[in-house]
Amino acid sequence: MSFVVFADGTANLPKSLLGNIRLLPCSYLMEEEKHIYEGDVDSFDGHAYYQQLKEGKTVKTSLLNTYLFEEHFKPVLESGTDIIYVSMSSGISGTYQAAKIAAEELMEEYPERTVRIIDSRGCGFGNGLLAIHGDKLAGENLSAKEAADILDERVPHTCQYFTVDDLNFLKRTGRVKGSTAAIGTMLNIKPILYGTAEGQIVDCGKVRGRQKSIKAIAEKYAEKVTDANEQLVCISHGDCIEDAQKLADLVNEIARPKELVICQHEPFSGSHVGPGMLGLFFYGKER
């Protein structure tokens, strides 16, 4: 293996999908108490976490800094192995830029090595799916440069559609205006959101009621998916497993994928979308 793939806790990867991917920890403050999330979504108590958010507990997240990347990357480079890191979107976090700075500094220190940073233009399984594919390529005797070029080509086809149950969490992070959140909550309006080609989170529609929002996400899958029977499709949720299963049933009715995985949405970006978040991630036509 000429390179290893790194991701971080935002990739939302359960152990069954992790393979040889190495995860970097994410830290956040809940009511000023620091938590380190190592990326083990299987052990993450999503019910307790999202219940705390429902009760009004506040969470503050911070980007992964350059020192963290250097600390984890150096031993790999010293062993003579190259690195690909799949980052959450540069459009929603400064983590990508911190990783780029670390890569440039490390390649000066280790000029014979390659460190490539992939801007997933997404989050959650939006970068997790790319990391999984990168890990597969690592077993095919490709160089880090060759594999990274392939991943860059897949970024525009990594589709991610989701909805939220409470617009106030998006309001806190500036995704919607306070007045919009208030009116939307009053009228039971549910936005359908997606990651754009530029890595921004925007809405591509609004419906009234939770069940219609689940159906709307499934309709996006029907419109965008390609070669469903050859791919892994992922659903993440903010402690709403029954809704996640309804979405999975619709996906299977439309075009059954080779594999479909459902799991809790990780806590780092989960604090921004809140309890009731429901997302669908797959490869398809350009976003």
Side-chain angles (χ1 to χ4, degrees):
M1 187 178 294
S2 64
F3 67 91
V4 298
V5 175
F6 278 84
D8 56 63
T10 67
N12 221 113
L13 297 175
K15 286 187 177 70
S16 63
L17 301 178
L18 194 58
N20 294 309
I21 299 167
R22 304 189 187 188
L23 295 179
L24 300 176
C26 298
S27 63
Y28 62 90
L29 296 175
M30 177 174 277
E31 298 293 303
E32 304 307 319
E33 180 182 348
K34 187 173 183 178
H35 296 261
I36 304 295
Y37 176 62
E38 300 284 353
D40 185 1
V41 75
D42 294 312
S43 299
F44 166 52
D45 188 345
H47 175 70
Y49 177 81
Y50 287 109
Q51 185 60 39
Q52 287 178 301
L53 294 186
K54 286 181 181 179
E55 293 168 358
K57 298 285 183 67
T58 59
V59 173
K60 297 178 182 177
T61 60
S62 57
L63 58 82
L64 281 67
N65 59 47
T66 299
Y67 172 76
L68 180 71
F69 290 113
E70 292 179 345
E71 179 185 29
H72 286 265
F73 289 177
K74 273 189 176 183
V76 176
L77 299 175
E78 288 173 354
S79 73
T81 305
D82 295 332
I83 289 171
I84 293 176
Y85 167 64
V86 183
S87 170
M88 72 183 93
S89 173
S90 62
I92 61 175
S93 172
T95 292
Y96 170 77
Q97 191 57 40
K100 287 283 287 184
I101 293 170
E104 291 166 4
E105 293 177 353
L106 288 169
M107 283 192 290
E108 287 183 8
E109 187 174 350
Y110 303 91
E112 73 284 4
R113 300 268 59 86
T114 296
V115 181
R116 282 285 294 270
I117 312 300
I118 305 297
D119 184 354
S120 71
R121 309 295 173 95
C123 197
F125 280 119
N127 45 310
L129 284 175
L130 289 166
I132 291 168
H133 191 66
D135 188 45
K136 176 176 177 291
L137 295 174
E140 296 180 1
N141 296 319
L142 296 177
S143 69
K145 181 184 182 305
E146 291 170 328
D149 288 344
I150 291 171
L151 294 180
D152 277 334
E153 290 175 358
R154 290 179 78 93
V155 168
H157 301 282
T158 310
C159 299
Q160 43 216 313
Y161 292 91
F162 67 100
T163 189
V164 297
D165 202 39
D166 186 342
L167 286 164
N168 286 303
F169 287 92
L170 290 171
K171 180 191 75 173
R172 291 171 196 162
T173 56
R175 297 301 176 196
V176 298
K177 296 179 181 178
S179 58
T180 301
I183 294 171
T185 301
M186 186 184 306
L187 298 178
N188 197 24
I189 298 298
K190 307 299 181 185
I192 309 304
L193 302 128
Y194 80 110
T196 68
E198 294 75 32
Q200 302 290 335
I201 302 300
V202 301
D203 74 79
C204 58
K206 298 181 180 69
V207 296
R208 182 171 292 181
R210 180 70 167 182
Q211 298 310 307
K212 288 183 179 179
S213 70
I214 297 172
K215 184 179 178 181
I217 294 173
E219 289 171 350
K220 287 295 182 182
Y221 175 76
E223 176 187 346
K224 296 286 187 176
V225 72
T226 55
D227 301 319
N229 63 345
E230 297 178 7
Q231 66 165 293
L232 165 69
V233 171
C234 298
I235 294 172
S236 65
H237 65 94
D239 194 33
C240 52
I241 184 61
E242 290 183 0
D243 287 345
Q245 189 58 59
K246 288 176 184 176
L247 178 57
D249 291 343
L250 290 172
V251 164
N252 283 327
E253 288 175 11
I254 292 165
R256 184 179 292 273
K258 180 178 180 180
E259 183 178 3
L260 195 156
V261 169
I262 301 173
C263 71
Q264 290 273 13
H265 192 77
E266 47 79 22
F268 193 79
S269 63
S271 66
H272 298 276
V273 290
M277 173 273 179
L278 181 64
L280 178 65
F281 305 82
F282 59 94
Y283 286 117
K285 301 172 187 175
E286 290 194 1
R287 303 179 191 184

CSV table of all heavy atoms in Angstrom, one decimal, residues 203-249:
chain,number,residue,atom,x,y,z
A,203,ASP,N,-31.0,25.4,0.4
A,203,ASP,CA,-32.2,24.6,0.2
A,203,ASP,C,-32.6,24.5,-1.3
A,203,ASP,O,-32.3,25.4,-2.1
A,203,ASP,CB,-33.4,25.2,1.0
A,203,ASP,CG,-33.9,26.4,0.4
A,203,ASP,OD1,-34.7,26.3,-0.5
A,203,ASP,OD2,-33.6,27.5,0.9
A,204,CYS,N,-33.1,23.4,-1.6
A,204,CYS,CA,-33.6,23.2,-3.0
A,204,CYS,C,-35.1,22.9,-3.1
A,204,CYS,O,-35.6,22.4,-4.1
A,204,CYS,CB,-32.8,22.0,-3.7
A,204,CYS,SG,-32.9,20.5,-2.8
A,205,GLY,N,-35.7,23.2,-2.0
A,205,GLY,CA,-37.2,23.1,-1.9
A,205,GLY,C,-37.7,23.1,-0.5
A,205,GLY,O,-36.9,23.0,0.5
A,206,LYS,N,-39.0,23.3,-0.3
A,206,LYS,CA,-39.6,23.3,1.0
A,206,LYS,C,-40.9,22.6,0.9
A,206,LYS,O,-41.7,22.8,-0.1
A,206,LYS,CB,-39.9,24.8,1.5
A,206,LYS,CG,-38.6,25.6,1.6
A,206,LYS,CD,-39.0,27.0,2.2
A,206,LYS,CE,-37.7,27.9,2.4
A,206,LYS,NZ,-37.1,28.2,1.1
A,207,VAL,N,-41.3,21.8,1.9
A,207,VAL,CA,-42.5,21.1,1.9
A,207,VAL,C,-43.1,21.3,3.3
A,207,VAL,O,-42.5,21.7,4.2
A,207,VAL,CB,-42.4,19.6,1.6
A,207,VAL,CG1,-41.9,19.4,0.1
A,207,VAL,CG2,-41.4,19.0,2.6
A,208,ARG,N,-44.4,21.0,3.4
A,208,ARG,CA,-45.1,21.1,4.7
A,208,ARG,C,-45.3,19.7,5.2
A,208,ARG,O,-46.0,18.9,4.7
A,208,ARG,CB,-46.4,21.8,4.5
A,208,ARG,CG,-47.1,22.0,5.9
A,208,ARG,CD,-48.4,22.9,5.7
A,208,ARG,NE,-48.0,24.3,5.4
A,208,ARG,CZ,-48.9,25.3,5.3
A,208,ARG,NH1,-50.2,25.1,5.4
A,208,ARG,NH2,-48.5,26.5,5.0
A,209,GLY,N,-44.6,19.5,6.4
A,209,GLY,CA,-44.8,18.2,7.1
A,209,GLY,C,-43.6,17.3,6.9
A,209,GLY,O,-42.9,17.3,5.8
A,210,ARG,N,-43.4,16.5,7.9
A,210,ARG,CA,-42.2,15.6,7.9
A,210,ARG,C,-42.3,14.5,6.9
A,210,ARG,O,-41.3,14.2,6.2
A,210,ARG,CB,-42.2,15.0,9.3
A,210,ARG,CG,-41.0,14.0,9.5
A,210,ARG,CD,-39.7,14.7,9.5
A,210,ARG,NE,-38.6,13.8,10.0
A,210,ARG,CZ,-37.4,14.1,10.2
A,210,ARG,NH1,-37.0,15.4,9.9
A,210,ARG,NH2,-36.5,13.3,10.6
A,211,GLN,N,-43.5,13.9,6.7
A,211,GLN,CA,-43.6,12.8,5.8
A,211,GLN,C,-43.3,13.2,4.3
A,211,GLN,O,-42.7,12.5,3.6
A,211,GLN,CB,-45.0,12.1,5.9
A,211,GLN,CG,-45.2,11.5,7.3
A,211,GLN,CD,-44.1,10.6,7.7
A,211,GLN,OE1,-43.7,9.7,7.0
A,211,GLN,NE2,-43.6,10.8,8.9
A,212,LYS,N,-43.8,14.4,4.0
A,212,LYS,CA,-43.5,15.0,2.7
A,212,LYS,C,-42.0,15.2,2.5
A,212,LYS,O,-41.5,15.1,1.3
A,212,LYS,CB,-44.3,16.2,2.4
A,212,LYS,CG,-45.8,16.0,2.3
A,212,LYS,CD,-46.6,17.3,2.0
A,212,LYS,CE,-48.1,17.0,1.8
A,212,LYS,NZ,-48.8,18.2,1.5
A,213,SER,N,-41.3,15.6,3.5
A,213,SER,CA,-39.9,15.9,3.4
A,213,SER,C,-39.1,14.6,3.1
A,213,SER,O,-38.2,14.6,2.3
A,213,SER,CB,-39.4,16.6,4.6
A,213,SER,OG,-39.3,15.8,5.8
A,214,ILE,N,-39.6,13.5,3.8
A,214,ILE,CA,-38.9,12.2,3.5
A,214,ILE,C,-39.1,11.8,2.1
A,214,ILE,O,-38.2,11.3,1.4
A,214,ILE,CB,-39.5,11.2,4.5
A,214,ILE,CG1,-39.1,11.5,5.9
A,214,ILE,CG2,-38.9,9.8,4.2
A,214,ILE,CD1,-39.8,10.7,7.0
A,215,LYS,N,-40.4,12.0,1.6
A,215,LYS,CA,-40.7,11.6,0.2
A,215,LYS,C,-39.9,12.5,-0.8
A,215,LYS,O,-39.4,12.0,-1.8
A,215,LYS,CB,-42.2,11.8,0.0
A,215,LYS,CG,-42.6,11.3,-1.4
A,215,LYS,CD,-44.1,11.5,-1.6
A,215,LYS,CE,-44.5,11.1,-3.0
A,215,LYS,NZ,-46.0,11.3,-3.2
A,216,ALA,N,-39.7,13.8,-0.4
A,216,ALA,CA,-39.0,14.7,-1.3
A,216,ALA,C,-37.5,14.3,-1.5
A,216,ALA,O,-36.9,14.4,-2.5
A,216,ALA,CB,-39.1,16.1,-0.8
A,217,ILE,N,-36.9,13.8,-0.4
A,217,ILE,CA,-35.5,13.3,-0.4
A,217,ILE,C,-35.5,12.1,-1.3
A,217,ILE,O,-34.5,12.0,-2.2
A,217,ILE,CB,-35.0,13.0,1.0
A,217,ILE,CG1,-34.9,14.3,1.8
A,217,ILE,CG2,-33.6,12.3,0.9
A,217,ILE,CD1,-34.5,14.1,3.2
A,218,ALA,N,-36.4,11.2,-1.2
A,218,ALA,CA,-36.4,10.0,-2.0
A,218,ALA,C,-36.6,10.4,-3.5
A,218,ALA,O,-36.0,9.7,-4.4
A,218,ALA,CB,-37.5,9.1,-1.6
A,219,GLU,N,-37.4,11.4,-3.8
A,219,GLU,CA,-37.5,11.8,-5.2
A,219,GLU,C,-36.2,12.4,-5.7
A,219,GLU,O,-36.0,12.2,-6.9
A,219,GLU,CB,-38.7,12.9,-5.2
A,219,GLU,CG,-40.0,12.3,-5.0
A,219,GLU,CD,-41.1,13.3,-4.8
A,219,GLU,OE1,-40.8,14.5,-4.7
A,219,GLU,OE2,-42.3,13.0,-4.8
A,220,LYS,N,-35.4,13.0,-4.9
A,220,LYS,CA,-34.1,13.5,-5.4
A,220,LYS,C,-33.2,12.3,-5.7
A,220,LYS,O,-32.5,12.3,-6.7
A,220,LYS,CB,-33.4,14.3,-4.3
A,220,LYS,CG,-34.1,15.7,-4.2
A,220,LYS,CD,-33.9,16.5,-5.4
A,220,LYS,CE,-34.4,17.9,-5.3
A,220,LYS,NZ,-34.3,18.7,-6.6
A,221,TYR,N,-33.3,11.2,-4.9
A,221,TYR,CA,-32.6,10.0,-5.2
A,221,TYR,C,-33.0,9.4,-6.6
A,221,TYR,O,-32.2,9.1,-7.4
A,221,TYR,CB,-32.8,9.0,-4.1
A,221,TYR,CG,-32.2,7.6,-4.4
A,221,TYR,CD1,-30.9,7.4,-4.2
A,221,TYR,CD2,-33.0,6.5,-4.7
A,221,TYR,CE1,-30.3,6.1,-4.4
A,221,TYR,CE2,-32.5,5.3,-4.9
A,221,TYR,CZ,-31.1,5.1,-4.7
A,221,TYR,OH,-30.6,3.8,-4.9
A,222,ALA,N,-34.3,9.4,-6.8
A,222,ALA,CA,-34.8,8.9,-8.1
A,222,ALA,C,-34.4,9.7,-9.3
A,222,ALA,O,-34.1,9.2,-10.3
A,222,ALA,CB,-36.4,8.9,-8.1
A,223,GLU,N,-34.2,11.0,-9.1
A,223,GLU,CA,-33.8,11.9,-10.1
A,223,GLU,C,-32.3,11.8,-10.4
A,223,GLU,O,-31.9,12.0,-11.6
A,223,GLU,CB,-34.2,13.4,-9.7
A,223,GLU,CG,-33.7,14.5,-10.7
A,223,GLU,CD,-33.9,15.8,-10.1
A,223,GLU,OE1,-34.7,16.0,-9.1
A,223,GLU,OE2,-33.3,16.8,-10.6
A,224,LYS,N,-31.5,11.6,-9.4
A,224,LYS,CA,-30.1,11.8,-9.5
A,224,LYS,C,-29.3,10.5,-9.5
A,224,LYS,O,-28.2,10.5,-10.1
A,224,LYS,CB,-29.5,12.6,-8.3
A,224,LYS,CG,-30.1,14.1,-8.3
A,224,LYS,CD,-29.5,14.9,-9.3
A,224,LYS,CE,-29.9,16.4,-9.2
A,224,LYS,NZ,-29.2,17.3,-10.1
A,225,VAL,N,-29.7,9.4,-8.9
A,225,VAL,CA,-28.9,8.2,-8.7
A,225,VAL,C,-28.5,7.6,-10.1
A,225,VAL,O,-29.3,7.6,-11.0
A,225,VAL,CB,-29.6,7.2,-7.8
A,225,VAL,CG1,-30.7,6.5,-8.6
A,225,VAL,CG2,-28.6,6.2,-7.3
A,226,THR,N,-27.3,7.1,-10.1
A,226,THR,CA,-26.8,6.3,-11.3
A,226,THR,C,-26.2,5.0,-10.8
A,226,THR,O,-25.5,5.0,-9.8
A,226,THR,CB,-25.7,7.1,-12.1
A,226,THR,OG1,-24.7,7.5,-11.2
A,226,THR,CG2,-26.3,8.4,-12.7
A,227,ASP,N,-26.4,3.9,-11.5
A,227,ASP,CA,-25.9,2.6,-11.2
A,227,ASP,C,-26.1,2.3,-9.8
A,227,ASP,O,-25.2,1.9,-9.0
A,227,ASP,CB,-24.4,2.6,-11.5
A,227,ASP,CG,-24.1,2.9,-13.0
A,227,ASP,OD1,-24.8,2.4,-13.9
A,227,ASP,OD2,-23.1,3.7,-13.3
A,228,ALA,N,-27.3,2.4,-9.3
A,228,ALA,CA,-27.6,2.1,-7.9
A,228,ALA,C,-27.2,0.7,-7.5
A,228,ALA,O,-26.7,0.6,-6.4
A,228,ALA,CB,-29.1,2.3,-7.7
A,229,ASN,N,-27.4,-0.3,-8.3
A,229,ASN,CA,-27.1,-1.7,-7.9
A,229,ASN,C,-25.6,-1.9,-7.8
A,229,ASN,O,-25.2,-3.1,-7.4
A,229,ASN,CB,-27.7,-2.7,-8.9
A,229,ASN,CG,-27.2,-2.5,-10.3
A,229,ASN,OD1,-26.5,-1.5,-10.6
A,229,ASN,ND2,-27.4,-3.5,-11.1
A,230,GLU,N,-24.8,-0.9,-8.1
A,230,GLU,CA,-23.3,-1.1,-7.9
A,230,GLU,C,-22.7,-0.3,-6.8
A,230,GLU,O,-21.5,-0.3,-6.6
A,230,GLU,CB,-22.6,-0.8,-9.2
A,230,GLU,CG,-23.0,-1.6,-10.4
A,230,GLU,CD,-22.4,-1.2,-11.7
A,230,GLU,OE1,-21.5,-0.3,-11.6
A,230,GLU,OE2,-22.7,-1.7,-12.8
A,231,GLN,N,-23.6,0.4,-6.0
A,231,GLN,CA,-23.0,1.3,-5.1
A,231,GLN,C,-23.6,1.2,-3.6
A,231,GLN,O,-24.6,0.5,-3.4
A,231,GLN,CB,-23.2,2.7,-5.5
A,231,GLN,CG,-24.6,3.2,-5.6
A,231,GLN,CD,-24.7,4.8,-5.8
A,231,GLN,OE1,-24.3,5.5,-4.8
A,231,GLN,NE2,-25.1,5.2,-6.9
A,232,LEU,N,-22.8,1.8,-2.7
A,232,LEU,CA,-23.2,1.9,-1.3
A,232,LEU,C,-24.0,3.2,-1.2
A,232,LEU,O,-23.5,4.3,-1.6
A,232,LEU,CB,-21.9,1.9,-0.5
A,232,LEU,CG,-22.1,2.4,1.0
A,232,LEU,CD1,-22.9,1.4,1.8
A,232,LEU,CD2,-20.7,2.7,1.6
A,233,VAL,N,-25.2,3.1,-0.6
A,233,VAL,CA,-26.0,4.3,-0.2
A,233,VAL,C,-26.1,4.4,1.3
A,233,VAL,O,-26.2,3.4,1.9
A,233,VAL,CB,-27.4,4.2,-0.9
A,233,VAL,CG1,-28.3,5.3,-0.4
A,233,VAL,CG2,-27.3,4.2,-2.4
A,234,CYS,N,-26.0,5.6,1.8
A,234,CYS,CA,-26.0,5.8,3.3
A,234,CYS,C,-27.0,6.7,3.7
A,234,CYS,O,-27.3,7.7,3.0
A,234,CYS,CB,-24.6,6.3,3.7
A,234,CYS,SG,-23.2,5.1,3.4
A,235,ILE,N,-27.6,6.4,4.8
A,235,ILE,CA,-28.6,7.3,5.5
A,235,ILE,C,-28.1,7.6,6.9
A,235,ILE,O,-27.7,6.7,7.6
A,235,ILE,CB,-30.0,6.7,5.6
A,235,ILE,CG1,-30.5,6.5,4.1
A,235,ILE,CG2,-30.9,7.5,6.4
A,235,ILE,CD1,-31.8,5.7,4.1
A,236,SER,N,-28.1,8.9,7.3
A,236,SER,CA,-27.7,9.2,8.7
A,236,SER,C,-28.9,10.0,9.3
A,236,SER,O,-29.6,10.7,8.6
A,236,SER,CB,-26.4,10.0,8.8
A,236,SER,OG,-26.6,11.2,8.2
A,237,HIS,N,-29.1,9.9,10.6
A,237,HIS,CA,-30.2,10.5,11.2
A,237,HIS,C,-29.9,11.0,12.6
A,237,HIS,O,-29.0,10.5,13.3
A,237,HIS,CB,-31.4,9.5,11.3
A,237,HIS,CG,-31.1,8.3,12.2
A,237,HIS,ND1,-31.5,8.3,13.5
A,237,HIS,CD2,-30.5,7.1,11.9
A,237,HIS,CE1,-31.1,7.1,14.1
A,237,HIS,NE2,-30.5,6.4,13.1
A,238,GLY,N,-30.6,12.1,13.0
A,238,GLY,CA,-30.4,12.6,14.3
A,238,GLY,C,-31.4,12.0,15.3
A,238,GLY,O,-32.4,12.7,15.7
A,239,ASP,N,-31.2,10.8,15.6
A,239,ASP,CA,-32.1,10.1,16.6
A,239,ASP,C,-33.5,10.0,16.1
A,239,ASP,O,-34.5,10.3,16.8
A,239,ASP,CB,-32.0,10.7,18.0
A,239,ASP,CG,-32.6,9.8,19.0
A,239,ASP,OD1,-32.5,8.6,18.9
A,239,ASP,OD2,-33.2,10.3,20.0
A,240,CYS,N,-33.7,9.6,14.8
A,240,CYS,CA,-35.0,9.4,14.3
A,240,CYS,C,-35.0,8.1,13.4
A,240,CYS,O,-35.2,8.2,12.2
A,240,CYS,CB,-35.5,10.6,13.5
A,240,CYS,SG,-34.4,11.2,12.3
A,241,ILE,N,-34.7,7.0,14.0
A,241,ILE,CA,-34.5,5.8,13.3
A,241,ILE,C,-35.7,5.3,12.5
A,241,ILE,O,-35.6,4.8,11.4
A,241,ILE,CB,-34.1,4.6,14.2
A,241,ILE,CG1,-33.8,3.3,13.4
A,241,ILE,CG2,-35.1,4.4,15.3
A,241,ILE,CD1,-32.6,3.5,12.4
A,242,GLU,N,-36.9,5.6,12.9
A,242,GLU,CA,-38.1,5.2,12.2
A,242,GLU,C,-38.2,5.9,10.9
A,242,GLU,O,-38.6,5.4,9.8
A,242,GLU,CB,-39.4,5.4,13.1
A,242,GLU,CG,-39.5,4.5,14.2
A,242,GLU,CD,-40.8,4.6,15.0
A,242,GLU,OE1,-41.6,5.5,14.7
A,242,GLU,OE2,-41.0,3.9,16.0
A,243,ASP,N,-37.9,7.2,10.9
A,243,ASP,CA,-38.0,8.0,9.7
A,243,ASP,C,-36.8,7.6,8.7
A,243,ASP,O,-37.0,7.5,7.5
A,243,ASP,CB,-37.8,9.5,10.0
A,243,ASP,CG,-39.0,10.1,10.6
A,243,ASP,OD1,-40.1,9.5,10.5
A,243,ASP,OD2,-38.9,11.2,11.2
A,244,ALA,N,-35.7,7.2,9.3
A,244,ALA,CA,-34.6,6.7,8.5
A,244,ALA,C,-35.0,5.4,7.8
A,244,ALA,O,-34.7,5.2,6.6
A,244,ALA,CB,-33.3,6.5,9.3
A,245,GLN,N,-35.7,4.6,8.5
A,245,GLN,CA,-36.1,3.3,7.9
A,245,GLN,C,-37.2,3.6,6.8
A,245,GLN,O,-37.2,2.9,5.7
A,245,GLN,CB,-36.7,2.4,8.9
A,245,GLN,CG,-37.0,1.0,8.4
A,245,GLN,CD,-35.7,0.3,7.9
A,245,GLN,OE1,-34.8,0.1,8.5
A,245,GLN,NE2,-35.8,-0.1,6.6
A,246,LYS,N,-38.1,4.6,7.0
A,246,LYS,CA,-39.0,4.9,5.9
A,246,LYS,C,-38.3,5.4,4.7
A,246,LYS,O,-38.7,5.0,3.6
A,246,LYS,CB,-40.0,6.0,6.4
A,246,LYS,CG,-41.0,5.5,7.5
A,246,LYS,CD,-41.8,6.7,8.0
A,246,LYS,CE,-42.7,6.3,9.1
A,246,LYS,NZ,-43.5,7.4,9.7
A,247,LEU,N,-37.3,6.2,4.9
A,247,LEU,CA,-36.5,6.7,3.7
A,247,LEU,C,-35.8,5.5,3.0
A,247,LEU,O,-35.8,5.4,1.8
A,247,LEU,CB,-35.5,7.7,4.2
A,247,LEU,CG,-34.6,8.3,3.1
A,247,LEU,CD1,-35.4,8.9,1.9
A,247,LEU,CD2,-33.6,9.3,3.7
A,248,ALA,N,-35.3,4.6,3.8
A,248,ALA,CA,-34.6,3.4,3.3
A,248,ALA,C,-35.6,2.6,2.4
A,248,ALA,O,-35.2,2.1,1.3
A,248,ALA,CB,-34.0,2.6,4.4
A,249,ASP,N,-36.8,2.4,2.9
A,249,ASP,CA,-37.8,1.6,2.2
A,249,ASP,C,-38.1,2.3,0.8
A,249,ASP,O,-38.2,1.6,-0.2
A,249,ASP,CB,-39.1,1.5,3.0
A,249,ASP,CG,-38.9,0.6,4.3
A,249,ASP,OD1,-37.9,-0.1,4.3
A,249,ASP,OD2,-39.7,0.7,5.2
